[in-house]
Amino acid sequence: MSKTIAINAGSSSLKWQLYVMPEETVVAKGIVERIGLNDSIFTIKYGEDQKYETIVDIADHDVAVKMLLDQLIDLKILASYDEITGVGHRVVHGGEFYDRSVIIDDEVLKNIEDLAEFAPLHNPANAMGIKAFKHLLPEIISVAVFDTAFHATMPEVSYLYSLPREYYEDFKVRKYGFHGTSHQFVAQRAAEMLGKPIEETKIITCHLGNGASITAVDGGISVDTSMGFTPLAGVTMGTRAGDIDASTLPFLMEKLDLNINEMVDTLNKKSGLLGLSGISSDMRDLEANSDKPEVRVTLDIFADRIRKYIGSYVTVLNGVDAIVFTAGIGENDAAIREQIINGMSWFGCEIDPEQNAKRGEDTVISTPESKIKVFMIPTDEELVIARDVEALRS
Ligand code: AMP
Protein backbone atom coordinates (compact mmCIF):
# COMPACT_ATOMS: atom_id res chain seq x y z
CA MET A 1 0.00 0.00 0.00
CA SER A 2 1.27 3.47 -0.87
CA LYS A 3 1.49 5.92 2.02
CA THR A 4 2.49 9.56 1.85
CA ILE A 5 3.35 11.68 4.84
CA ALA A 6 2.78 15.46 4.86
CA ILE A 7 5.15 17.32 7.18
CA ASN A 8 5.08 20.79 8.67
CA ALA A 9 8.30 21.21 10.64
CA GLY A 10 8.79 24.12 13.04
CA SER A 11 11.92 24.90 15.05
CA SER A 12 10.66 22.87 18.02
CA SER A 13 7.75 20.99 16.51
CA LEU A 14 6.86 18.52 13.80
CA LYS A 15 3.26 18.28 12.63
CA TRP A 16 2.40 15.42 10.30
CA GLN A 17 -0.44 13.64 8.56
CA LEU A 18 -0.23 10.19 6.97
CA TYR A 19 -2.29 9.44 3.87
CA VAL A 20 -3.09 6.34 1.88
CA MET A 21 -2.71 7.46 -1.71
CA PRO A 22 -4.21 7.83 -4.22
CA GLU A 23 -7.34 7.29 -2.08
CA GLU A 24 -6.45 10.42 -0.04
CA THR A 25 -7.53 8.73 3.20
CA VAL A 26 -5.93 10.04 6.40
CA VAL A 27 -4.83 7.03 8.45
CA ALA A 28 -3.01 8.86 11.24
CA LYS A 29 -1.88 12.32 12.20
CA GLY A 30 -0.05 13.94 15.04
CA ILE A 31 2.45 16.36 16.39
CA VAL A 32 5.73 16.30 18.23
CA GLU A 33 6.10 19.40 20.39
CA ARG A 34 8.93 20.84 22.48
CA ILE A 35 11.65 19.15 20.37
CA GLY A 36 15.04 20.00 21.87
CA LEU A 37 13.47 20.89 25.24
CA ASN A 38 12.63 18.81 28.30
CA ASP A 39 9.36 16.88 28.35
CA SER A 40 8.70 16.83 24.62
CA ILE A 41 5.11 15.86 23.82
CA PHE A 42 4.58 13.14 21.22
CA THR A 43 1.04 12.51 20.00
CA ILE A 44 -0.46 10.21 17.38
CA LYS A 45 -4.18 10.16 16.56
CA TYR A 46 -5.43 7.20 14.56
CA GLY A 47 -8.32 4.80 13.95
CA GLU A 48 -11.64 5.66 15.53
CA ASP A 49 -10.64 8.43 17.93
CA GLN A 50 -7.65 6.46 19.22
CA LYS A 51 -4.76 8.41 20.65
CA TYR A 52 -1.21 7.56 21.64
CA GLU A 53 0.57 10.17 23.74
CA THR A 54 3.87 10.14 25.57
CA ILE A 55 6.07 12.74 27.22
CA VAL A 56 9.82 12.12 26.84
CA ASP A 57 12.87 14.22 26.04
CA ILE A 58 13.32 14.37 22.25
CA ALA A 59 16.70 15.90 21.46
CA ASP A 60 16.24 16.88 17.81
CA HIS A 61 14.22 16.37 14.63
CA ASP A 62 16.18 13.20 13.71
CA VAL A 63 15.15 11.58 16.98
CA ALA A 64 11.57 12.79 16.54
CA VAL A 65 11.27 11.28 13.04
CA LYS A 66 12.78 7.94 14.08
CA MET A 67 10.46 7.76 17.07
CA LEU A 68 7.50 8.64 14.86
CA LEU A 69 8.20 5.97 12.23
CA ASP A 70 8.96 3.30 14.85
CA GLN A 71 5.80 4.11 16.78
CA LEU A 72 3.72 3.95 13.61
CA ILE A 73 5.08 0.42 13.13
CA ASP A 74 4.39 -0.50 16.79
CA LEU A 75 0.81 0.68 16.42
CA LYS A 76 0.56 -1.37 13.19
CA ILE A 77 -0.29 1.74 11.19
CA LEU A 78 2.79 0.99 9.09
CA ALA A 79 4.11 -2.50 8.31
CA SER A 80 7.64 -1.18 7.70
CA TYR A 81 9.51 1.96 6.63
CA ASP A 82 9.16 0.72 3.03
CA GLU A 83 5.46 1.41 3.07
CA ILE A 84 6.15 5.14 2.94
CA THR A 85 6.42 6.04 -0.73
CA GLY A 86 6.71 9.80 -0.45
CA VAL A 87 7.35 12.61 2.00
CA GLY A 88 6.00 16.12 1.41
CA HIS A 89 7.32 19.12 3.33
CA ARG A 90 5.66 22.46 3.78
CA VAL A 91 8.33 25.09 3.14
CA VAL A 92 7.48 28.69 3.89
CA HIS A 93 9.76 30.56 1.49
CA GLY A 94 10.64 29.53 -2.03
CA GLY A 95 11.84 33.02 -3.05
CA GLU A 96 11.91 33.55 -6.79
CA PHE A 97 13.19 30.03 -7.36
CA TYR A 98 9.97 28.05 -7.20
CA ASP A 99 6.55 28.59 -8.72
CA ARG A 100 5.46 25.03 -7.96
CA SER A 101 6.28 22.05 -5.77
CA VAL A 102 9.58 20.30 -6.53
CA ILE A 103 11.46 17.11 -5.70
CA ILE A 104 14.09 17.98 -3.09
CA ASP A 105 17.67 17.34 -4.21
CA ASP A 106 20.87 18.87 -2.79
CA GLU A 107 20.41 22.09 -4.78
CA VAL A 108 16.80 22.55 -3.66
CA LEU A 109 17.79 21.95 -0.04
CA LYS A 110 20.59 24.51 -0.34
CA ASN A 111 18.20 27.08 -1.83
CA ILE A 112 15.73 26.49 1.03
CA GLU A 113 18.53 26.99 3.55
CA ASP A 114 19.83 30.09 1.76
CA LEU A 115 16.33 31.59 1.82
CA ALA A 116 16.55 31.65 5.63
CA GLU A 117 17.55 35.28 5.14
CA PHE A 118 13.93 35.97 4.09
CA ALA A 119 12.21 33.60 6.56
CA PRO A 120 14.58 33.20 9.52
CA LEU A 121 12.01 31.55 11.77
CA HIS A 122 10.67 29.10 9.23
CA ASN A 123 13.05 27.96 6.47
CA PRO A 124 15.81 26.62 8.78
CA ALA A 125 13.17 24.63 10.68
CA ASN A 126 11.67 23.32 7.43
CA ALA A 127 15.17 22.27 6.34
CA MET A 128 15.70 20.39 9.63
CA GLY A 129 12.54 18.38 8.95
CA ILE A 130 13.67 17.61 5.39
CA LYS A 131 17.10 16.42 6.54
CA ALA A 132 15.66 14.26 9.32
CA PHE A 133 13.45 12.35 6.87
CA LYS A 134 16.27 12.11 4.31
CA HIS A 135 18.53 10.52 6.93
CA LEU A 136 15.97 7.84 7.76
CA LEU A 137 14.40 7.33 4.35
CA PRO A 138 17.23 8.15 1.93
CA GLU A 139 15.65 6.34 -1.02
CA ILE A 140 12.21 7.88 -0.69
CA ILE A 141 11.18 10.86 -2.79
CA SER A 142 10.73 14.04 -0.80
CA VAL A 143 8.92 17.07 -2.13
CA ALA A 144 8.93 20.73 -1.07
CA VAL A 145 5.58 22.52 -1.21
CA PHE A 146 6.14 26.26 -0.88
CA ASP A 147 3.81 28.81 0.74
CA THR A 148 5.03 31.35 -1.78
CA ALA A 149 4.78 29.24 -4.97
CA PHE A 150 1.17 30.00 -5.89
CA HIS A 151 1.96 33.72 -5.82
CA ALA A 152 5.04 33.42 -8.02
CA THR A 153 2.79 34.21 -11.00
CA MET A 154 2.02 37.73 -9.73
CA PRO A 155 2.86 40.40 -12.30
CA GLU A 156 5.60 42.94 -11.65
CA VAL A 157 2.97 45.61 -11.14
CA SER A 158 1.74 43.70 -8.06
CA TYR A 159 5.00 42.45 -6.62
CA LEU A 160 7.27 45.50 -6.96
CA TYR A 161 7.26 47.98 -4.09
CA SER A 162 7.49 51.67 -4.90
CA LEU A 163 11.10 51.75 -3.75
CA PRO A 164 14.29 52.38 -5.74
CA ARG A 165 14.32 49.59 -8.29
CA GLU A 166 17.82 48.44 -7.40
CA TYR A 167 16.55 47.23 -4.01
CA TYR A 168 14.64 44.59 -5.93
CA GLU A 169 17.46 43.92 -8.39
CA ASP A 170 20.21 43.75 -5.77
CA PHE A 171 18.38 42.24 -2.78
CA LYS A 172 15.17 40.72 -4.17
CA VAL A 173 13.05 42.95 -1.96
CA ARG A 174 9.54 42.48 -3.35
CA LYS A 175 6.14 41.09 -2.44
CA TYR A 176 6.20 37.28 -2.22
CA GLY A 177 2.91 36.43 -0.50
CA PHE A 178 2.16 33.43 1.69
CA HIS A 179 -0.58 30.86 2.49
CA GLY A 180 -0.36 30.01 -1.24
CA THR A 181 -1.25 26.34 -0.79
CA SER A 182 -4.44 27.30 1.00
CA HIS A 183 -5.45 30.02 -1.48
CA GLN A 184 -4.84 27.63 -4.37
CA PHE A 185 -6.83 24.81 -2.76
CA VAL A 186 -9.91 26.89 -1.96
CA ALA A 187 -9.83 28.72 -5.31
CA GLN A 188 -9.88 25.37 -7.11
CA ARG A 189 -12.76 24.17 -4.97
CA ALA A 190 -14.65 27.46 -5.50
CA ALA A 191 -14.37 27.05 -9.27
CA GLU A 192 -15.89 23.58 -8.92
CA MET A 193 -18.71 25.04 -6.82
CA LEU A 194 -19.27 27.72 -9.49
CA GLY A 195 -19.46 24.92 -12.04
CA LYS A 196 -16.92 26.60 -14.33
CA PRO A 197 -13.39 25.81 -15.49
CA ILE A 198 -11.09 27.74 -13.16
CA GLU A 199 -9.59 29.49 -16.22
CA GLU A 200 -12.93 31.30 -16.60
CA THR A 201 -13.28 32.48 -13.00
CA LYS A 202 -12.38 35.50 -10.91
CA ILE A 203 -12.14 34.62 -7.24
CA ILE A 204 -11.09 36.45 -4.09
CA THR A 205 -9.87 34.11 -1.37
CA CYS A 206 -9.75 35.18 2.30
CA HIS A 207 -7.53 32.98 4.46
CA LEU A 208 -8.43 34.24 7.92
CA GLY A 209 -6.55 32.41 10.67
CA ASN A 210 -4.03 33.59 13.21
CA GLY A 211 -2.17 34.84 10.18
CA ALA A 212 -4.50 36.23 7.53
CA SER A 213 -4.18 37.06 3.85
CA ILE A 214 -6.42 37.91 0.93
CA THR A 215 -5.65 36.88 -2.66
CA ALA A 216 -6.99 37.92 -6.06
CA VAL A 217 -7.13 34.82 -8.27
CA ASP A 218 -7.71 35.42 -11.98
CA GLY A 219 -8.32 32.31 -14.06
CA GLY A 220 -6.68 30.17 -11.38
CA ILE A 221 -3.61 32.39 -11.17
CA SER A 222 -2.68 34.54 -8.18
CA VAL A 223 -2.41 38.10 -9.46
CA ASP A 224 -2.15 39.92 -6.13
CA THR A 225 -2.07 39.09 -2.44
CA SER A 226 -2.10 41.06 0.79
CA MET A 227 1.01 39.67 2.51
CA GLY A 228 4.31 40.99 1.30
CA PHE A 229 8.05 40.52 1.61
CA THR A 230 7.15 38.81 4.88
CA PRO A 231 3.85 37.69 6.44
CA LEU A 232 3.69 40.97 8.40
CA ALA A 233 1.91 42.94 5.67
CA GLY A 234 -1.76 43.16 4.74
CA VAL A 235 -4.83 42.90 6.95
CA THR A 236 -4.97 43.04 10.76
CA MET A 237 -3.96 39.63 12.18
CA GLY A 238 -3.90 37.87 15.57
CA THR A 239 -0.71 39.57 16.74
CA ARG A 240 0.59 41.16 13.50
CA ALA A 241 -0.09 44.76 12.59
CA GLY A 242 -0.66 44.36 8.86
CA ASP A 243 -0.21 47.48 6.71
CA ILE A 244 0.92 50.61 8.56
CA ASP A 245 2.74 53.81 7.63
CA ALA A 246 6.48 53.02 7.82
CA SER A 247 7.13 56.47 9.32
CA THR A 248 5.45 55.41 12.56
CA LEU A 249 8.46 53.15 13.22
CA PRO A 250 11.26 55.73 13.73
CA PHE A 251 8.80 57.91 15.64
CA LEU A 252 7.87 55.12 18.07
CA MET A 253 11.42 53.81 18.32
CA GLU A 254 12.51 57.20 19.56
CA LYS A 255 9.56 57.69 21.93
CA LEU A 256 9.86 54.18 23.41
CA ASP A 257 13.64 53.85 23.14
CA LEU A 258 13.33 50.65 21.10
CA ASN A 259 15.86 49.23 18.68
CA ILE A 260 14.72 47.98 15.26
CA ASN A 261 14.46 44.33 16.36
CA GLU A 262 12.30 45.27 19.33
CA MET A 263 10.11 47.39 17.08
CA VAL A 264 9.63 44.62 14.51
CA ASP A 265 8.95 42.18 17.35
CA THR A 266 6.17 44.50 18.56
CA LEU A 267 4.69 44.62 15.07
CA ASN A 268 4.80 40.81 14.79
CA LYS A 269 3.85 39.69 18.27
CA LYS A 270 2.11 42.46 20.22
CA SER A 271 -0.02 44.19 17.60
CA GLY A 272 -3.08 43.20 15.59
CA LEU A 273 -6.12 41.88 17.48
CA LEU A 274 -4.03 41.47 20.64
CA GLY A 275 -2.59 44.96 20.61
CA LEU A 276 -5.86 46.67 19.71
CA SER A 277 -8.10 44.80 22.16
CA GLY A 278 -5.58 44.48 24.99
CA ILE A 279 -7.33 41.15 25.70
CA SER A 280 -6.36 38.39 23.29
CA SER A 281 -5.15 37.48 19.83
CA ASP A 282 -7.71 34.68 19.71
CA MET A 283 -10.91 35.51 17.88
CA ARG A 284 -13.00 33.29 20.17
CA ASP A 285 -11.97 35.40 23.18
CA LEU A 286 -12.86 38.57 21.32
CA GLU A 287 -16.26 37.30 20.18
CA ALA A 288 -16.97 36.38 23.82
CA ASN A 289 -16.17 39.97 24.87
CA SER A 290 -17.66 41.85 21.94
CA ASP A 291 -19.77 44.04 24.23
CA LYS A 292 -16.61 45.78 25.46
CA PRO A 293 -16.03 48.96 23.40
CA GLU A 294 -12.30 48.31 22.76
CA VAL A 295 -13.12 44.78 21.58
CA ARG A 296 -15.98 46.01 19.39
CA VAL A 297 -13.71 48.45 17.62
CA THR A 298 -11.05 45.72 17.23
CA LEU A 299 -13.56 43.48 15.47
CA ASP A 300 -14.73 46.41 13.35
CA ILE A 301 -11.13 47.16 12.29
CA PHE A 302 -10.52 43.49 11.42
CA ALA A 303 -13.62 43.42 9.19
CA ASP A 304 -12.86 46.86 7.72
CA ARG A 305 -9.33 45.95 6.59
CA ILE A 306 -10.53 42.74 4.95
CA ARG A 307 -13.39 44.55 3.23
CA LYS A 308 -10.98 47.14 1.86
CA TYR A 309 -8.72 44.46 0.39
CA ILE A 310 -11.71 42.70 -1.16
CA GLY A 311 -12.87 46.00 -2.66
CA SER A 312 -9.46 46.75 -4.13
CA TYR A 313 -9.17 43.22 -5.55
CA VAL A 314 -12.54 43.57 -7.29
CA THR A 315 -10.79 46.40 -9.12
CA VAL A 316 -7.62 44.38 -9.76
CA LEU A 317 -9.72 41.55 -11.22
CA ASN A 318 -12.19 43.89 -12.95
CA GLY A 319 -15.03 41.85 -11.47
CA VAL A 320 -15.48 38.86 -9.22
CA ASP A 321 -17.51 35.63 -9.36
CA ALA A 322 -16.93 34.40 -5.83
CA ILE A 323 -15.49 35.42 -2.47
CA VAL A 324 -14.19 32.55 -0.32
CA PHE A 325 -13.67 32.41 3.45
CA THR A 326 -11.32 29.82 4.91
CA ALA A 327 -9.02 28.96 7.89
CA GLY A 328 -9.83 29.17 11.62
CA ILE A 329 -11.75 32.45 11.61
CA GLY A 330 -12.99 32.26 8.01
CA GLU A 331 -14.43 28.76 8.53
CA ASN A 332 -15.94 29.26 11.98
CA ASP A 333 -16.83 32.87 12.65
CA ALA A 334 -20.21 33.52 11.03
CA ALA A 335 -20.51 36.96 12.68
CA ILE A 336 -17.30 38.28 11.10
CA ARG A 337 -18.19 36.84 7.69
CA GLU A 338 -21.54 38.59 7.85
CA GLN A 339 -19.99 41.86 8.97
CA ILE A 340 -17.50 41.81 6.09
CA ILE A 341 -20.06 40.99 3.41
CA ASN A 342 -22.84 43.23 4.76
CA GLY A 343 -20.68 46.23 4.00
CA MET A 344 -20.57 45.23 0.33
CA SER A 345 -24.21 45.23 -0.73
CA TRP A 346 -23.43 47.75 -3.49
CA PHE A 347 -21.40 45.03 -5.23
CA GLY A 348 -24.48 42.83 -5.20
CA CYS A 349 -23.18 40.65 -2.43
CA GLU A 350 -25.73 39.32 0.05
CA ILE A 351 -25.31 36.85 2.90
CA ASP A 352 -27.94 34.22 3.67
CA PRO A 353 -28.00 34.09 7.50
CA GLU A 354 -29.31 30.51 7.60
CA GLN A 355 -26.62 29.23 5.25
CA ASN A 356 -23.98 31.31 7.03
CA ALA A 357 -24.80 29.59 10.33
CA LYS A 358 -23.75 26.18 8.92
CA ARG A 359 -20.40 24.67 9.91
CA GLY A 360 -17.98 22.09 8.63
CA GLU A 361 -18.65 21.38 4.97
CA ASP A 362 -18.14 23.54 1.86
CA THR A 363 -21.14 25.89 1.91
CA VAL A 364 -22.64 28.60 -0.29
CA ILE A 365 -23.34 31.33 2.29
CA SER A 366 -24.77 33.97 -0.08
CA THR A 367 -28.44 34.23 -1.06
CA PRO A 368 -29.56 32.72 -4.39
CA GLU A 369 -30.03 36.31 -5.67
CA SER A 370 -26.55 37.47 -4.68
CA LYS A 371 -24.67 38.57 -7.83
CA ILE A 372 -21.38 37.49 -6.28
CA LYS A 373 -21.32 34.06 -4.68
CA VAL A 374 -19.84 33.79 -1.20
CA PHE A 375 -18.44 30.44 -0.07
CA MET A 376 -17.13 28.97 3.16
CA ILE A 377 -14.58 26.30 2.21
CA PRO A 378 -12.47 24.46 4.81
CA THR A 379 -8.86 24.56 3.69
CA ASP A 380 -6.68 21.44 3.57
CA GLU A 381 -3.02 22.28 3.07
CA GLU A 382 -1.86 18.78 4.07
CA LEU A 383 -3.95 17.23 1.31
CA VAL A 384 -2.35 19.55 -1.26
CA ILE A 385 1.07 18.42 -0.02
CA ALA A 386 0.09 14.75 -0.32
CA ARG A 387 -1.35 15.33 -3.81
CA ASP A 388 1.79 17.12 -4.99
CA VAL A 389 3.98 14.28 -3.72
CA GLU A 390 1.79 11.78 -5.55
CA ALA A 391 1.91 13.85 -8.76
CA LEU A 392 5.71 14.13 -8.69
CA ARG A 393 6.16 10.47 -7.74
CA SER A 394 4.40 9.16 -10.81
P1 AMP B 1 -5.82 29.10 12.31
O1 AMP B 1 -4.57 29.93 12.35
O2 AMP B 1 -6.34 28.85 10.94
O3 AMP B 1 -5.75 27.84 13.15
O4 AMP B 1 -6.97 29.99 13.01
C1 AMP B 1 -6.88 30.41 14.34
C2 AMP B 1 -7.94 31.46 14.60
O5 AMP B 1 -9.24 30.90 14.33
C3 AMP B 1 -7.98 31.96 16.04
O6 AMP B 1 -8.12 33.36 16.08
C4 AMP B 1 -9.24 31.31 16.59
O7 AMP B 1 -9.81 32.05 17.61
C5 AMP B 1 -10.12 31.30 15.37
N1 AMP B 1 -11.24 30.39 15.56
C6 AMP B 1 -11.22 29.05 15.68
N2 AMP B 1 -12.48 28.58 15.95
C7 AMP B 1 -13.29 29.67 16.00
C8 AMP B 1 -14.70 29.88 16.24
N3 AMP B 1 -15.50 28.86 16.49
N4 AMP B 1 -15.16 31.15 16.19
C9 AMP B 1 -14.35 32.18 15.96
N5 AMP B 1 -13.03 32.06 15.73
C10 AMP B 1 -12.51 30.82 15.75
Side-chain angles (χ1 to χ4, degrees), residues 281-301:
S281 64
D282 193 300
M283 192 51 103
R284 284 164 290 202
D285 297 336
L286 300 187
E287 291 291 9
N289 287 283
S290 61
D291 53 329
K292 296 197 169 82
E294 66 279 14
V295 174
R296 188 64 259 158
V297 82
T298 302
L299 295 169
D300 291 349
I301 289 170

Side-chain angles (χ1 to χ4, degrees), residues 22 39 48 55 63 115 130 190 210 212 214 218 250 264 272 288 325 357 359:
D39 298 336
E48 305 260 316
I55 296 180
V63 176
L115 285 163
I130 292 169
N210 238 331
I214 320 294
D218 197 352
V264 173
F325 290 102
R359 299 273 288 271

Side-chain angles (χ1 to χ4, degrees), residues 100-364:
R100 67 198 66 195
S101 301
V102 290
I103 295 176
I104 304 170
D105 58 16
D106 291 346
E107 188 194 334
V108 171
L109 182 58
K110 182 176 181 312
N111 285 337
I112 291 170
E113 289 181 314
D114 288 350
L115 285 163
E117 194 183 16
F118 291 169
L121 296 179
H122 294 104
N123 271 39
N126 302 151
M128 277 196 279
I130 292 169
K131 285 194 242 175
F133 273 91
K134 275 194 176 282
H135 289 158
L136 267 145
L137 304 172
E139 306 300 328
I140 303 302
I141 173 181
S142 64
V143 168
V145 180
F146 300 96
D147 263 28
T148 48
F150 181 53
H151 304 299
T153 47
M154 276 188 293
E156 222 179 21
V157 72
S158 298
Y159 74 67
L160 278 186
Y161 290 124
S162 308
L163 289 169
R165 200 181 166 102
E166 60 268 26
Y167 295 174
Y168 166 63
E169 284 158 2
D170 295 345
F171 309 117
K172 297 290 170 213
V173 170
R174 52 162 281 180
K175 178 186 280 198
Y176 289 100
F178 299 87
H179 294 142
T181 320
S182 175
H183 288 291
Q184 187 172 18
F185 178 81
V186 298
Q188 183 62 50
R189 188 69 201 101
E192 287 161 22
M193 288 167 78
L194 286 167
K196 284 189 186 176
I198 195 162
E199 294 74 20
E200 293 169 21
T201 62
K202 294 174 189 285
I203 298 168
I204 297 173
T205 50
C206 306
H207 178 109
L208 309 179
N210 238 331
S213 64
I214 320 294
T215 297
V217 187
D218 197 352
I221 285 170
S222 167
V223 292
D224 205 353
T225 191
S226 60
M227 282 181 168
F229 178 61
T230 73
L232 181 53
V235 297
T236 304
M237 297 175 233
T239 60
R240 285 176 233 155
D243 298 338
I244 56 160
D245 180 346
S247 298
T248 53
L249 306 188
F251 179 84
L252 285 171
M253 284 163 70
E254 196 182 323
K255 290 281 179 205
L256 299 167
D257 193 22
L258 298 177
N259 66 36
I260 188 69
N261 290 331
E262 291 165 333
M263 188 71 244
V264 173
D265 205 54
T266 300
L267 296 179
N268 269 310
K269 298 188 185 147
K270 298 180 192 153
S271 302
L273 300 178
L274 174 65
L276 279 168
S277 69
I279 289 185
S280 175
S281 64
D282 193 300
M283 192 51 103
R284 284 164 290 202
D285 297 336
L286 300 187
E287 291 291 9
N289 287 283
S290 61
D291 53 329
K292 296 197 169 82
E294 66 279 14
V295 174
R296 188 64 259 158
V297 82
T298 302
L299 295 169
D300 291 349
I301 289 170
F302 183 76
D304 170 85
R305 300 304 185 270
I306 294 162
R307 203 183 299 132
K308 282 177 181 154
Y309 261 101
I310 293 173
S312 72
Y313 286 171
V314 172
T315 314
V316 167
L317 293 169
N318 192 21
V320 60
D321 300 306
I323 297 169
V324 183
F325 290 102
T326 194
I329 299 169
E331 290 169 29
N332 296 300
D333 194 332
I336 279 287
R337 289 195 302 249
E338 184 168 352
Q339 192 179 350
I340 294 167
I341 297 300
N342 276 349
M344 304 199 311
S345 52
W346 188 84
F347 286 132
C349 217
E350 204 178 52
I351 282 278
D352 182 330
E354 214 167 289
Q355 285 294 101
N356 192 34
K358 293 188 177 166
R359 299 273 288 271
E361 302 272 291
D362 300 348
T363 310
V364 183

Side-chain angles (χ1 to χ4, degrees), residues 5-178:
I5 190 160
I7 303 297
N8 186 351
S11 55
S12 65
S13 68
L14 192 119
K15 230 171 124 181
W16 58 272
Q17 201 145 307
L18 183 68
Y19 290 85
V20 175
M21 297 301 281
E23 291 81 357
E24 302 186 346
T25 325
V26 179
V27 283
K29 60 182 174 181
I31 183 163
V32 191
E33 294 164 278
R34 295 179 55 83
I35 298 172
L37 304 168
N38 294 336
D39 298 336
S40 316
I41 309 162
F42 178 99
T43 318
I44 298 181
K45 290 184 181 165
Y46 63 105
E48 305 260 316
D49 286 333
Q50 282 166 286
K51 187 170 170 182
Y52 172 91
E53 187 175 74
T54 184
I55 296 180
V56 281
D57 294 353
I58 299 176
D60 56 31
H61 286 68
D62 278 31
V63 176
V65 172
K66 172 133 184 39
M67 187 169 161
L68 166 60
L69 295 177
D70 290 345
Q71 197 57 49
L72 288 172
I73 292 172
D74 271 9
L75 292 170
K76 307 213 174 338
I77 297 165
L78 279 184
S80 70
Y81 285 12
D82 296 342
E83 231 184 308
I84 298 207
T85 48
V87 185
H89 295 271
R90 175 189 180 207
V91 177
V92 165
H93 221 303
E96 285 196 324
F97 293 110
Y98 304 109
D99 64 358
R100 67 198 66 195
S101 301
V102 290
I103 295 176
I104 304 170
D105 58 16
D106 291 346
E107 188 194 334
V108 171
L109 182 58
K110 182 176 181 312
N111 285 337
I112 291 170
E113 289 181 314
D114 288 350
L115 285 163
E117 194 183 16
F118 291 169
L121 296 179
H122 294 104
N123 271 39
N126 302 151
M128 277 196 279
I130 292 169
K131 285 194 242 175
F133 273 91
K134 275 194 176 282
H135 289 158
L136 267 145
L137 304 172
E139 306 300 328
I140 303 302
I141 173 181
S142 64
V143 168
V145 180
F146 300 96
D147 263 28
T148 48
F150 181 53
H151 304 299
T153 47
M154 276 188 293
E156 222 179 21
V157 72
S158 298
Y159 74 67
L160 278 186
Y161 290 124
S162 308
L163 289 169
R165 200 181 166 102
E166 60 268 26
Y167 295 174
Y168 166 63
E169 284 158 2
D170 295 345
F171 309 117
K172 297 290 170 213
V173 170
R174 52 162 281 180
K175 178 186 280 198
Y176 289 100
F178 299 87

